[in-house]
Amino acid sequence: MAFFEWRDAPKSDYAVIGDPIEHSRSPAMHQHAFDALGLDLKYVAVRVPVEETSLALDHLRTLGYRGVNVTVPLKEAVIDWLSEVEDFARRVRAVNTIDLVSKRGINTDAPGFTASLSQFEFDQGSKMLLLGAGGSSRAIALEAEQQGFELFIYNRTVDKAHSLVSSLRLKATVLAEPDVRDIDLIVNATSASLYGERLAIDWTAASPNAVAYDLFYSSHGTQFLVDAQNAGLRTVDGLALLAAQGRLSFEWWLGRKAPEPFGFL
Ligand code: ATR
């Protein structure tokens, strides 16, 4: 996909910023939505090295951009530039949607995660196992707790799981192994899928009613989801999250309903 270096960014209305950015599917998704509603708006992908975040945001704002989506590794770095940050986003230190005009930032990954689970019926107290304790895990962990899941966290580096739990003051249980027994929802927030690596999960112990969710996506399915599917579980991939968070960003920016369907689903 075409993308621009921030200094060479063309005139546009919206953008996704990150580094790397060439694989982002946000431009196609949002442009499709703008076009479907007959809106004369443009959305592009712009590469921004993390150390140039504030300079780039000033530049895009001056060029007349109205909003940006923010992806890895900029979700925390943009906070310093903003005048107003939603409480949830400040707590998880991750902003993925910015209104450049008012310099406000919010997190739509977390409500998008919940929205993308609406096809399933999880009761209050359902057990969720979160795999990973990096940047992407923070918003999902807090959202899961606020949605009433009983939360378990496993991370290859166990100390990082403990830090995540204590810094967000979660009631979660840190596991020494990725034990999926009795778990209702297993969420992969590790970057293992990106490298085609396999997590050491004993899928034979999983409940056949469980749902496996990979926050990442890949055109040929991630190893995590292939393994889960082979074990008979229902699965959700990162495209569901991409579409759900994108829809919420769209509606927040434009103050109107996004077209149905939104994204690639
Ligand atoms: P992100 O912002 O996408 O969450 P990150 O902050 O770099 O990225 O975190 C990556 C996460 O994936 C971490 O939880 C990492 O585990 P460690 O804390 O032990 O490094 C996890 N991860 C990456 N590759 C992995 C692999 N092959 N197996 C298991 N966990 C992996």
Side-chain angles (χ1 to χ4, degrees), residues 101-113:
V101 180
S102 64
K103 300 182 82 165
R104 282 182 302 146
I106 63 170
N107 182 303
T108 68
D109 289 327
F113 173 73

Side-chain angles (χ1 to χ4, degrees), residues 30-145:
H30 283 276
Q31 193 63 60
H32 186 269
F34 291 151
D35 296 347
L37 293 179
L39 300 170
D40 184 20
L41 293 171
K42 268 179 68 183
Y43 190 114
V44 295
V46 177
R47 191 179 78 90
V48 174
V50 67
E51 61 281 5
E52 295 171 4
T53 302
S54 292
L55 280 176
L57 288 169
D58 280 333
H59 183 66
L60 296 176
R61 187 170 188 261
T62 305
L63 279 179
Y65 283 60
R66 303 182 202 183
V68 288
N69 282 129
V70 184
T71 188
V72 182
L74 309 179
K75 291 185 186 186
E76 183 168 5
V78 296
I79 291 176
D80 281 347
W81 182 85
L82 294 166
S83 310
E84 198 183 316
V85 180
E86 166 204 45
D87 283 347
F88 185 100
R90 186 174 292 288
R91 241 183 114 187
V92 299
R93 301 200 310 268
V95 164
N96 79 322
T97 308
I98 292 177
D99 177 343
L100 287 171
V101 180
S102 64
K103 300 182 82 165
R104 282 182 302 146
I106 63 170
N107 182 303
T108 68
D109 289 327
F113 173 73
T114 296
S116 67
L117 290 173
S118 61
Q119 58 180 303
F120 307 106
E121 286 183 4
F122 292 111
D123 301 327
Q124 285 288 308
S126 287
K127 293 186 162 89
M128 172 174 145
L129 170 61
L130 178 62
L131 305 167
S136 316
S137 296
R138 296 177 57 84
I140 301 301
L142 185 58
E143 177 72 7
E145 184 172 282

